[in-house]
């Protein structure tokens, strides 16, 4: 009986490690303020794609946010967003880019290595940060394999 309890405990531990490694998969919904402030210009990215340090740098430099001024005038709103991003940040290493770019992470590159650039162009996608172009549920925080469309590519688990 003790060995069965041990095995179940180990399986649960492995399952939790998987969700930590993927970070954003556990994020089912985004707060309305995140959708309205950040999602008004681009898809609201899963906070687990960057770590606390990277999100801190993003929030500290909103006046130079990837080529545009995305300053948040209301200090309370900015603090609420910064706190939420920190609480939901991933556990990956810093991106090593300035500004931080989740597309530069080893994880992102590995997950998207099969995506043909010509397929993105057929969809009118000029940047890999336009998540909704392929991930149909991205705006709602859903990135499941069954909600992906890329021309010229079959889904990974189609035969399962």
């Amino acid at each position: 009986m003790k060995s069965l309890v041990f095995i179940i405990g180990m399986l649960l531990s492995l399952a939790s490690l998987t969700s930590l490694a993927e970070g954003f998969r556990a994020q089912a919904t985004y707060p309305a303020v995140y959708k309205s402030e950040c999602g008004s210009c681009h898809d609201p990215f899963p906070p687990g794609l960057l770590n606390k340090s990277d999100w801190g740098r993003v929030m500290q430099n909103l006046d130079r946010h990837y080529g545009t001024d995305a300053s948040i005038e209301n200090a309370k709103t900015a603090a609420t967003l910064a706190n939420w991003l920190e609480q939901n940040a991933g556990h990956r290493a810093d991106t090593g880019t300035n500004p931080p770019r989740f597309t530069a992470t080893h994880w992102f590159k590995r997950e998207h290595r099969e995506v043909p650039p010509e397929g993105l162009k057929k969809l009118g996608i000029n940047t890999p940060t336009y998540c909704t172009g392929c991930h149909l549920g991205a705006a709602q925080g859903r990135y499941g394999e069954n909600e992906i469309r890329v021309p010229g590519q079959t889904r990974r688990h189609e035969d399962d």
Side-chain angles (χ1 to χ4, degrees):
M1 183 65 166
K2 283 185 179 181
S3 62
L4 179 61
V5 171
F6 176 77
I7 291 170
I8 291 172
M10 290 300 291
L11 290 173
L12 289 174
S13 295
L14 288 172
S16 67
L17 285 175
T18 301
S19 64
L20 277 178
E22 296 302 322
F24 72 90
R25 289 184 189 229
Q27 191 67 42
T29 59
Y30 300 137
V33 68
Y34 183 59
K35 288 181 187 178
S36 66
E37 288 293 336
C38 304
S40 65
C41 294
H42 59 73
D43 291 327
F45 304 126
L49 291 175
L50 296 176
N51 66 24
K52 289 180 186 182
S53 172
D54 281 336
W55 278 119
R57 289 190 294 149
V58 168
M59 293 301 293
Q60 289 171 359
N61 295 301
L62 288 176
D63 60 328
R64 298 179 308 279
H65 188 70
Y66 305 92
T68 190
D69 185 349
S71 298
I72 299 172
E73 299 301 320
N74 185 312
K76 184 177 178 182
T77 299
T80 298
L81 280 171
N83 184 52
W84 181 78
L85 288 167
E86 181 177 311
Q87 295 298 314
N88 292 282
H91 303 281
R92 295 178 180 85
D94 284 352
T95 61
T97 60
N98 190 19
R101 296 185 184 280
F102 65 85
T103 56
T105 64
H106 174 73
W107 173 86
F108 185 90
K109 289 176 182 178
R110 183 187 73 235
E111 285 295 310
H112 295 84
R113 68 183 176 270
E114 299 171 5
V115 178
E118 62 276 5
L120 294 179
K121 288 179 184 162
K122 285 180 185 176
L123 287 173
I125 299 170
N126 296 321
T127 173
T129 59
Y130 177 55
C131 304
T132 305
C134 296
H135 297 274
L136 305 178
Q140 294 78 35
R142 295 190 324 265
Y143 292 83
E145 295 279 336
N146 292 329
E147 294 189 73
I148 297 175
R149 68 176 174 116
V150 178
Q153 179 184 4
T154 57
R155 291 193 307 225
R156 288 185 199 164
H157 303 292
E158 203 166 65
D159 299 328
D160 293 346

